[in-house]
Amino acid sequence: MSQMQAPKYATYQAVRQAIEEERTNCQELVDYYLAQIEVSTATNAYVEVFAEEAKVQAKALDEKRAAQPDGIGRLFGAVISIKDVLCYKDHEVTASSKILGGFRSLFTATAVERLLAEDAIIIGRTSCDEFAMGSSNENSYYGPVKNGASLDRVPGGSSGGSAVAVQMDTCLASLGSDTGGSVRQPAAFCGVVGMKPTYGRVSRYGLLAYGSSFDQIGVLSHSVEDAALLLEIMAGNDPMDSTSSHRPVPAYSKELVAKERYRIAYFGKALESEGMHADIRKATHQLIEDLQHAGHTVASVDFDLLDHIIAAYYVLTTAEASTNLSRYDGIRYGYRSSNAQDLMETYKKSRTEGFGAEVKRRIMLGTFVLSSGYYDAYYTKAQKARRLIQERTNAIFEDYDFILAPASPTPPWKIGEKEDDPVSVYLEDIFTVQANMTGIPAICWPVGTDEAGLPIGMQLMAPRFAEQELLAFAKGLNGQ
């Protein structure tokens, strides 16, 4: 077990209060988080730490406040890390892959830009499964990330580095990406909060694509309150992303007041399945009882498409990945093989040497399902299944406010334990992919630990653009 500790500042509100009362400043905050990074290097959470740059930025912010106390941003002094799939101008972004080694971004992702505009400090980039493809953070070119609760365990993926960065209190919050649960499952494994917004709520401009119709930038934090604040600042239409919504953005952080009674659905049959770990089943039933005692309506509903959801998800996301990753060809940027003799060999060898095993597996699967003779048999059927899943999910929301489910059917497993069984790792996403298949928001928060002391996380899903209600309810459930 590692030496985990309670966060020095569990919310940005606490940070801001400490600054206003002159108990700390931006420079001291950065020094504290850099020290935390130093003592938690065994987790391998960071790919790169922007130590000197963060110190310079902190000093400039302190000077700005001294000269103009009323002119500071809404995130003044908030120290944030970003997943290694988010572009940050003049900084490397590699998707934790060899094929992008040394590549420096020419622009900043909209989500990151909006945080910086409110005086946030970016302290570093965190490791992830290569191109965000994985559920364990073992697929990173930089080596596996280790769970701070137990260094022999996975932190979840693909945003495992971001989850551990928050877990080990090396930053106030971290930005991740969620294609099929990549924010929520690591949050569950690391005992932190993970928020995935509605598809289109946050611009994807500057996010390296895995599955373009699934990907969404999310937040990992100590508190629901901070997830609400960061979402409020990042959300909103972006001319650079045609899929970003034009809907007005509510003041999420100021409206975290839940109703007295909610109607909550859960999938009873899934809870009793063989693949469900006993401790997670017990924690889920306990939460259901607690909610019922609090006066909420909690009922089991049938969702007979759960058995098909993983298959459809992996057909569609790998198809999109095979297209998105075709741009990494050794010609325009990134890794180029030195062993190639002609153009075709440059393509083949650069991609063979540059991509890891899991990414190559998914590219080949995606190319197969899109190929002539198999397109209708796989891709078209998966799209039909996606539409059915959307319709069935929307039908549940006609009668219920939220859907409750564990974020993962199992606790974090040992590093290397499932190395030869990728399908069992894919099945870990059984409860999280629904939100991405349907584009709805979902949040995960910690509910305790199993008998081995490993974190357990629970998730709530809500109708599209119902983040306000979701965050308000989750805040109370997270003990805030």
Side-chain angles (χ1 to χ4, degrees):
M1 290 286 183
S2 69
Q3 299 299 312
M4 290 177 59
Q5 62 180 54
K8 184 171 184 177
Y9 299 103
T11 65
Y12 175 66
Q13 186 178 7
V15 172
R16 190 64 173 252
Q17 186 175 344
I19 290 172
E20 289 174 356
E21 294 174 358
E22 306 291 344
R23 289 186 283 112
T24 192
N25 57 34
C26 292
Q27 293 170 85
E28 289 180 1
L29 286 165
V30 166
D31 287 343
Y32 168 75
Y33 286 120
L34 288 174
Q36 288 296 106
I37 291 172
E38 189 65 30
V39 298
S40 61
T41 53
T43 63
N44 199 31
Y46 282 84
V47 170
E48 184 181 6
V49 180
F50 309 142
E52 293 309 312
E53 180 183 326
K55 289 178 181 179
V56 170
Q57 190 180 357
K59 185 173 185 291
L61 287 174
D62 285 336
E63 291 171 353
K64 175 182 178 179
R65 178 172 177 267
Q68 197 178 3
D70 297 328
I72 60 176
R74 288 185 288 168
L75 289 175
F76 182 88
V79 177
I80 311 289
S81 63
I82 58 175
K83 184 177 179 179
D84 189 27
V85 291
L86 287 159
C87 292
Y88 186 15
K89 188 177 180 180
D90 298 328
H91 295 75
E92 281 192 41
V93 57
T94 69
S96 293
S97 176
K98 179 180 179 180
I99 206 160
L100 273 176
F103 175 73
R104 299 179 81 81
S105 180
L106 302 176
F107 63 95
T108 299
T110 299
V112 177
E113 202 168 58
R114 289 178 178 176
L115 299 186
L116 289 169
E118 294 293 345
D119 291 337
I121 299 168
I122 309 299
I123 201 165
R125 56 189 175 108
T126 57
S127 184
C128 59
D129 282 300
E130 185 181 5
F131 281 99
M133 297 182 191
S135 302
S136 65
N137 221 146
E138 294 174 282
N139 300 328
S140 172
Y141 175 63
Y142 306 105
V145 175
K146 300 174 182 179
N147 195 320
S150 183
L151 294 176
D152 64 343
R153 303 278 175 165
V154 302
S158 61
S159 307
S162 292
V164 173
V166 176
Q167 177 192 41
M168 301 306 291
D169 200 27
T170 67
C171 56
L172 181 70
S174 186
L175 296 192
S177 65
D178 194 311
T179 305
S182 287
V183 162
R184 290 159 288 147
Q185 188 241 31
F189 281 10
C190 295
V192 300
V193 171
M195 173 70 194
K196 172 226 174 279
T198 301
Y199 182 82
R201 183 74 287 186
V202 175
S203 170
R204 291 182 296 111
Y205 180 68
L207 170 67
L208 303 187
Y210 164 17
S212 300
S213 72
F214 295 81
D215 298 340
Q216 191 63 191
I217 294 170
V219 178
L220 294 114
S221 59
H222 297 296
S223 67
V224 175
E225 183 181 332
D226 284 358
L229 178 61
L230 292 177
L231 177 60
E232 180 182 325
I233 290 168
M234 293 189 298
N237 181 251
D238 177 15
M240 301 301 290
D241 177 8
S242 62
T243 66
S244 64
S245 174
H246 286 266
R247 287 194 182 209
V249 179
Y252 299 123
S253 64
K254 297 180 178 65
E255 300 174 7
L256 293 174
V257 180
K259 295 191 301 188
E260 287 188 10
R261 303 285 184 272
Y262 286 103
R263 299 163 298 162
I264 304 155
Y266 70 96
F267 305 141
K269 288 183 180 177
L271 280 186
E272 306 310 318
S273 66
E274 290 182 9
M276 181 69 69
H277 190 277
D279 290 347
I280 292 178
R281 182 186 296 118
K282 181 180 176 183
T284 309
H285 282 303
Q286 183 61 57
L287 178 59
I288 290 169
E289 283 184 28
D290 292 344
L291 290 169
Q292 289 172 333
H293 289 155
H296 302 291
T297 299
V298 189
S300 174
V301 298
D302 291 328
F303 192 77
D304 55 2
L305 296 173
L306 203 61
D307 290 341
H308 306 290
I309 202 166
I310 288 290
Y313 167 80
Y314 275 98
V315 167
L316 295 174
T317 54
T318 56
E320 293 186 14
S322 73
T323 303
N324 281 328
L325 271 64
S326 64
R327 69 193 68 174
Y328 306 108
D329 54 13
I331 301 296
R332 287 163 286 191
Y333 47 79
Y335 176 79
R336 179 183 296 182
S337 175
S338 58
N339 302 315
Q341 302 299 316
D342 55 33
L343 181 63
M344 190 56 68
E345 271 198 1
T346 299
Y347 289 145
K348 289 181 177 179
K349 291 193 174 182
S350 296
R351 289 168 66 80
T352 299
E353 297 166 15
F355 288 131
E358 182 60 32
V359 171
K360 285 188 277 195
R361 181 185 290 121
R362 297 195 192 196
I363 289 173
M364 289 189 288
L365 178 57
T367 304
F368 172 76
V369 301
L370 290 175
S371 61
S372 177
Y374 297 99
Y375 185 93
D376 288 337
Y378 294 102
Y379 186 77
T380 302
K381 280 187 179 177
Q383 287 286 30
K384 290 177 180 177
R386 187 179 193 180
R387 173 54 64 89
L388 286 173
I389 291 162
Q390 287 174 332
E391 291 175 353
R392 202 70 57 85
T393 301
N394 290 338
I396 293 172
F397 285 132
E398 289 177 6
D399 299 315
Y400 296 92
D401 299 300
F402 305 114
I403 298 172
L404 172 70
S408 171
T410 68
W413 57 91
K414 288 189 175 180
I415 293 172
E417 184 180 326
K418 300 190 178 187
E419 189 175 356
D420 299 324
D421 190 5
V423 174
S424 71
V425 179
Y426 297 167
L427 290 172
E428 293 291 334
D429 299 336
I430 185 75
F431 294 118
T432 53
V433 297
Q434 183 177 1
N436 303 85
M437 290 282 277
T438 56
I440 60 177
I443 192 166
C444 170
W445 74 99
V447 294
T449 59
D450 66 5
E451 288 188 354
L454 299 168
I456 295 175
M458 214 58 62
Q459 80 165 336
L460 278 175
M461 294 173 274
R464 284 172 58 81
F465 297 102
E467 281 90 350
Q468 188 175 322
E469 295 82 1
L470 182 64
L471 288 161
F473 188 41
K475 181 173 184 261
L477 295 176
N478 195 43
Q480 293 176 265

